[in-house]
Amino acid sequence: MVRIVRREQFSEQTFLWEVAAPDVAQAAQPGHFVMLRLDDDGERIPLTVADFDRERGTISIVVQALGKTTRQMRDGFRAGDEFADFAGPLGLAQHIERVGHVVLVGGGLGVAPIFPQLRAFKEAGNRTTCIVGFRSADLVFWADKLAQFSDELILCTDDGSLGRPGYVDAALRAVLAGGGADLVVAIGPMPMMHACAEASRPFGVRTMVSLNTIMVDGTGMCGSCRVTVGGEVKFACVDGPDFDGHAVDFKELHARQKRFQRQEAQANQDHAHVCSLEELLVVQGKRTYKKYSALERTQVKMPERDAAERACSFDEVNLGYGHAEALREAERCIQCAKPTCIEGCPVRIDIPRFIRHLLLRDMEGAVDAIHESSPFPSVCGRVCPQESQCEAQCVLVKAKMEPVAIGRLERFVGDHARPRPMQLPARERRLGRVAIVGSGPGGLAAAADLLKFGCDVTVFEALHVVGGVLRYGIPSFRLPRDIIEREVRRLQDAGARFETNKVIGKTFTIEQLTGAMGFDAVFVAAGAGAPAFLGIPGEFAGQVYSANEFLTRVNLMGGDRFPYRDTPISVGQRVIVIGAGNTAMDCLRVARRLGAAQVRCVYRRSEAEAPARVEELRHAREEGIDFSFLHGPVEVLLDQEGDVRGLRAQKMALGDPDGRGRRAPVPLDQFVEWPCETVIYALGTRANPIVGQATRGLALDRRGYIVADEATQSTNLPGVFAGGDIVTGGATVILAMAAGRRAARAIAAWLQQGRTGWPVAAAAADAVALPAARPAAVPT
């Protein structure tokens, strides 16, 4: 929880919070922003840093009550109150240097974030002119504070009630015409910044604007804040928020800002309706406030869910084995002398041993056997592609039979075994302190093993919840949230510390972790969440989502329950998802559950080349998803308002295999158009740039992924390890876990040898023995 130290009301709608956030205050610079969330049901909202006090450990933000969240901040919180989450600082700091004459323009709420930049430019030795605008005199704030660092302060009001009458762009034009400037910085509403950029364009003065576009996570993951600058795609949360205003495509931004107007207006209407009911039924005490003629004539039917209707529910689709089914399936395992299934498991679970425990009705022994290699049987039993890993190596396949359903048995054991705390060996002293960057499957698997090796473990997570891709990327109908929470709680009970809302590379750097913060080693498991796009016309329309943004809005922020939760989502009646991997299947099935009547998968290869699991393809088809294989998108079609109206695609044929052995699609001279209101890109991900950009000397490959040894996950920086998607690119949960386990073993070797000899040798890591939790109940 985060405490409000001080609250100051500027006007009926505008107010200041000074927030106790020592970590953010130490790292904050002019131009940074933060992400704030009030409670578990709230949205993450971006707010620009208005001031910071490193000695007090506080951050000041100025807020205008416009929507539900900001009204709740205004009406429901006072000094001393606490709220849920405060992450940052985020974005890139404004580049402060001595350039000569700097004109800083703030409009409305943008007056507040202008202040730290004004102060910094003045202290750097610049001549400063500050132009600020308000609708009327009663809304003016901080005029005295701004005047302290301004050689000239020009105060404008729209209605002429104070200072210069008119808008700030007119005042800016007058300043530039009267004496010129070397740099303009404009912060405020989008139309105001656009107007300032156009005002300065004829004078050729470089103009920086702060693009506080709609964000979901603010950490470079979702792509919601994408903007075109100079013809290139940028993301305000990691590449900005300050950009060259003369190069920004404001027309595109204006269109994107309108994308949730309808949903937010409906939410405001719903809120007003609830308030009116409260007034009538609680305050006035009225009861018969409706006439009989206004009532429905029949009862509302109770929804009844069966197999054909599961597409309308986020309840889990696969219900799992019961005891009888699990035991029958376990009987099919012949307990091989040389079990090849273990070789097919990336984390090398002793599969025959856990099945043996299950056959003997020793559920605790079965789960202990799994926990020696994997801390998450209930997770992996649901989401791992067993059919291409352990089950593909089952000897029954050679006998022309279906393999043992190992994944289903693993899930059964994880779900039904009595909850057991992690058994840690007694040690006289701790082996060392380890920081883990990211709480996804790789980071959690490393944490579990490092605890067993005797390390103090702290996991830093950029979001407000623990779980990484397990939380934001996988829908609850495939992985229920209580399963994730149970597995994480087991690590917490064993001593792992989790710090949420800590963006490594922003809140802390790797250098700080291994330096002043005293960690002996760092494992970077930050994932590869930056979205990929095709670069075709129309894809920057408001209703074009990346898979990460779409799934984050639903899985992490509860968009399916908007307006009861604060983050909106809109799909319309027709949805097209581009791609055919497991993430694409998740997007298709989520869109169906959000009420889309027609959901189509578009993929440029055939179904045989689709990366998704066969079960996921089957489930999607059973739930009414349409598939258009051998079609490559060429344009997102837009209407006159800039909204999505369809997708144009080119028909494909399969040619020769590409470098990965997959048959390459060859375009044909035939095209098709499908009407739709929403397009979702599920084309994989790219490396999140935050850690790589912030860590001096860290070796990256040409795509921006961290370079790490395949056997030990060692990077080129002593004591820094990396693994999972941030090294390999997008892969599976179990492969990330395998990397986490390799890193944990190598970290233990590094610490045991006194942090000498870098990089860690594979032989040294292999020689480290993971302590057993307890003797097995059944002889091996």
Short mmCIF file of all heavy atoms in Angstrom, two decimals, residues 38 47 67 81 84 110 114 122 175 207 228 301 359 404 445 447 496 567 569 577 631-632 634 684 719 735 760:
data_model
loop_
_atom_site.label_atom_id
_atom_site.label_comp_id
_atom_site.label_asym_id
_atom_site.label_seq_id
_atom_site.Cartn_x
_atom_site.Cartn_y
_atom_site.Cartn_z
N LEU A 38 -5.72 2.50 -7.71
CA LEU A 38 -6.29 2.75 -6.39
C LEU A 38 -6.57 1.47 -5.61
O LEU A 38 -6.30 1.39 -4.42
CB LEU A 38 -7.60 3.55 -6.53
CG LEU A 38 -7.46 4.98 -7.07
CD1 LEU A 38 -8.83 5.64 -7.10
CD2 LEU A 38 -6.50 5.79 -6.21
N LEU A 47 0.26 9.22 -14.82
CA LEU A 47 0.25 10.57 -14.31
C LEU A 47 1.68 11.11 -14.36
O LEU A 47 2.61 10.45 -13.88
CB LEU A 47 -0.28 10.63 -12.87
CG LEU A 47 -1.75 10.23 -12.70
CD1 LEU A 47 -2.06 9.99 -11.23
CD2 LEU A 47 -2.66 11.31 -13.26
N GLY A 67 -12.74 11.55 -14.97
CA GLY A 67 -13.39 10.25 -15.10
C GLY A 67 -13.64 9.61 -13.75
O GLY A 67 -13.44 10.23 -12.69
N ASP A 81 -4.39 8.62 3.92
CA ASP A 81 -5.00 7.44 3.32
C ASP A 81 -3.99 6.69 2.47
O ASP A 81 -2.96 7.23 2.06
CB ASP A 81 -6.21 7.83 2.47
CG ASP A 81 -7.38 8.32 3.30
OD1 ASP A 81 -7.36 8.09 4.53
OD2 ASP A 81 -8.30 8.92 2.72
N ALA A 84 -3.47 1.31 -3.57
CA ALA A 84 -2.84 0.02 -3.84
C ALA A 84 -1.45 0.10 -4.47
O ALA A 84 -0.49 -0.46 -3.94
CB ALA A 84 -3.77 -0.83 -4.74
N GLY A 110 -1.49 20.26 -17.61
CA GLY A 110 -0.10 20.21 -18.03
C GLY A 110 0.78 21.25 -17.37
O GLY A 110 2.01 21.20 -17.48
N ILE A 114 5.01 20.78 -16.17
CA ILE A 114 5.93 21.78 -16.72
C ILE A 114 6.92 22.22 -15.65
O ILE A 114 8.10 22.51 -15.93
CB ILE A 114 5.14 22.99 -17.26
CG1 ILE A 114 4.66 22.72 -18.68
CG2 ILE A 114 5.96 24.27 -17.23
CD1 ILE A 114 5.76 22.68 -19.72
N LYS A 122 16.12 26.07 -15.99
CA LYS A 122 16.64 27.31 -15.41
C LYS A 122 17.94 27.04 -14.66
O LYS A 122 18.91 27.79 -14.78
CB LYS A 122 15.59 27.92 -14.47
CG LYS A 122 16.00 29.28 -13.91
CD LYS A 122 16.21 30.30 -15.02
CE LYS A 122 16.65 31.64 -14.50
NZ LYS A 122 16.95 32.59 -15.59
N VAL A 175 5.56 35.14 -28.78
CA VAL A 175 6.91 35.09 -28.21
C VAL A 175 7.92 34.76 -29.30
O VAL A 175 8.99 35.39 -29.40
CB VAL A 175 6.97 34.05 -27.07
CG1 VAL A 175 8.43 33.79 -26.66
CG2 VAL A 175 6.17 34.53 -25.86
N THR A 207 10.36 21.58 -31.02
CA THR A 207 9.25 21.60 -30.08
C THR A 207 8.99 20.20 -29.55
O THR A 207 8.67 19.28 -30.33
CB THR A 207 7.98 22.15 -30.75
OG1 THR A 207 8.23 23.48 -31.21
CG2 THR A 207 6.81 22.17 -29.77
N THR A 228 3.06 7.24 -34.03
CA THR A 228 3.98 7.37 -35.17
C THR A 228 4.71 8.70 -35.07
O THR A 228 4.07 9.76 -35.00
CB THR A 228 3.21 7.28 -36.50
OG1 THR A 228 2.55 6.02 -36.57
CG2 THR A 228 4.16 7.42 -37.67
N LYS A 301 -34.53 -15.18 -16.93
CA LYS A 301 -34.13 -16.58 -16.86
C LYS A 301 -32.76 -16.74 -16.22
O LYS A 301 -31.86 -15.92 -16.45
CB LYS A 301 -34.12 -17.20 -18.26
CG LYS A 301 -35.52 -17.36 -18.87
CD LYS A 301 -35.43 -18.07 -20.22
CE LYS A 301 -36.82 -18.26 -20.81
NZ LYS A 301 -36.76 -18.95 -22.13
N LEU A 359 -0.19 -44.20 -8.17
CA LEU A 359 -0.76 -45.55 -8.21
C LEU A 359 -0.92 -46.13 -6.81
O LEU A 359 -1.87 -46.88 -6.54
CB LEU A 359 0.14 -46.47 -9.05
CG LEU A 359 0.05 -46.31 -10.57
CD1 LEU A 359 1.19 -47.06 -11.24
CD2 LEU A 359 -1.30 -46.82 -11.06
N VAL A 404 0.69 -42.05 -22.34
CA VAL A 404 0.11 -41.76 -21.04
C VAL A 404 -0.17 -40.26 -20.97
O VAL A 404 0.66 -39.45 -21.40
CB VAL A 404 1.06 -42.18 -19.90
CG1 VAL A 404 0.52 -41.74 -18.55
CG2 VAL A 404 1.28 -43.69 -19.93
N ALA A 445 10.41 -20.09 -11.03
CA ALA A 445 11.13 -21.37 -10.96
C ALA A 445 12.52 -21.16 -10.37
O ALA A 445 12.98 -21.96 -9.54
CB ALA A 445 11.23 -21.99 -12.35
N ALA A 447 13.37 -18.76 -8.31
CA ALA A 447 13.18 -18.45 -6.88
C ALA A 447 13.01 -19.72 -6.06
O ALA A 447 13.59 -19.85 -4.98
CB ALA A 447 11.97 -17.53 -6.72
N ALA A 496 10.41 -16.33 0.11
CA ALA A 496 10.65 -15.43 -1.03
C ALA A 496 9.93 -14.11 -0.79
O ALA A 496 8.78 -14.09 -0.35
CB ALA A 496 10.16 -16.06 -2.33
N THR A 567 -11.15 -0.68 -16.21
CA THR A 567 -10.44 -0.71 -17.49
C THR A 567 -11.38 -1.14 -18.61
O THR A 567 -11.92 -2.25 -18.56
CB THR A 567 -9.24 -1.65 -17.43
OG1 THR A 567 -8.33 -1.19 -16.43
CG2 THR A 567 -8.52 -1.71 -18.77
N ILE A 569 -12.85 -2.31 -22.41
CA ILE A 569 -12.49 -3.13 -23.56
C ILE A 569 -13.68 -3.08 -24.51
O ILE A 569 -14.83 -3.01 -24.08
CB ILE A 569 -12.16 -4.59 -23.16
CG1 ILE A 569 -11.59 -5.37 -24.34
CG2 ILE A 569 -13.38 -5.30 -22.61
CD1 ILE A 569 -10.18 -5.01 -24.67
N VAL A 577 -8.56 -12.03 -35.61
CA VAL A 577 -7.27 -12.21 -34.94
C VAL A 577 -6.27 -12.70 -35.97
O VAL A 577 -6.52 -13.67 -36.69
CB VAL A 577 -7.37 -13.22 -33.78
CG1 VAL A 577 -6.00 -13.46 -33.16
CG2 VAL A 577 -8.34 -12.71 -32.72
N HIS A 631 -4.13 -16.97 -45.81
CA HIS A 631 -4.49 -15.59 -46.12
C HIS A 631 -3.53 -14.66 -45.36
O HIS A 631 -3.35 -14.82 -44.16
CB HIS A 631 -5.92 -15.25 -45.72
CG HIS A 631 -6.95 -15.84 -46.64
ND1 HIS A 631 -7.41 -17.14 -46.51
CD2 HIS A 631 -7.60 -15.30 -47.70
CE1 HIS A 631 -8.32 -17.37 -47.44
NE2 HIS A 631 -8.45 -16.28 -48.18
N GLY A 632 -2.94 -13.70 -46.07
CA GLY A 632 -2.03 -12.74 -45.45
C GLY A 632 -2.64 -11.34 -45.44
O GLY A 632 -2.98 -10.81 -46.50
N VAL A 634 -3.21 -7.45 -45.67
CA VAL A 634 -2.50 -6.40 -46.38
C VAL A 634 -2.98 -5.00 -45.98
O VAL A 634 -2.27 -4.02 -46.21
CB VAL A 634 -2.62 -6.57 -47.91
CG1 VAL A 634 -1.92 -7.83 -48.37
CG2 VAL A 634 -4.09 -6.57 -48.35
N GLY A 684 3.40 -12.76 -32.06
CA GLY A 684 4.61 -12.91 -31.28
C GLY A 684 5.02 -11.59 -30.67
O GLY A 684 4.36 -10.55 -30.82
N GLY A 719 28.01 -11.77 -12.26
CA GLY A 719 26.92 -11.81 -11.30
C GLY A 719 25.55 -11.58 -11.89
O GLY A 719 24.55 -11.63 -11.16
N LEU A 735 9.67 -23.95 -20.90
CA LEU A 735 11.03 -23.63 -21.32
C LEU A 735 11.59 -22.46 -20.50
O LEU A 735 12.78 -22.45 -20.17
CB LEU A 735 11.07 -23.30 -22.81
CG LEU A 735 10.86 -24.50 -23.75
CD1 LEU A 735 10.78 -24.04 -25.20
CD2 LEU A 735 11.97 -25.52 -23.58
N VAL A 760 30.37 -18.43 -15.23
CA VAL A 760 30.26 -19.70 -14.52
C VAL A 760 30.42 -20.84 -15.53
O VAL A 760 29.78 -20.84 -16.59
CB VAL A 760 28.90 -19.81 -13.81
CG1 VAL A 760 28.76 -21.17 -13.14
CG2 VAL A 760 28.74 -18.69 -12.79
#
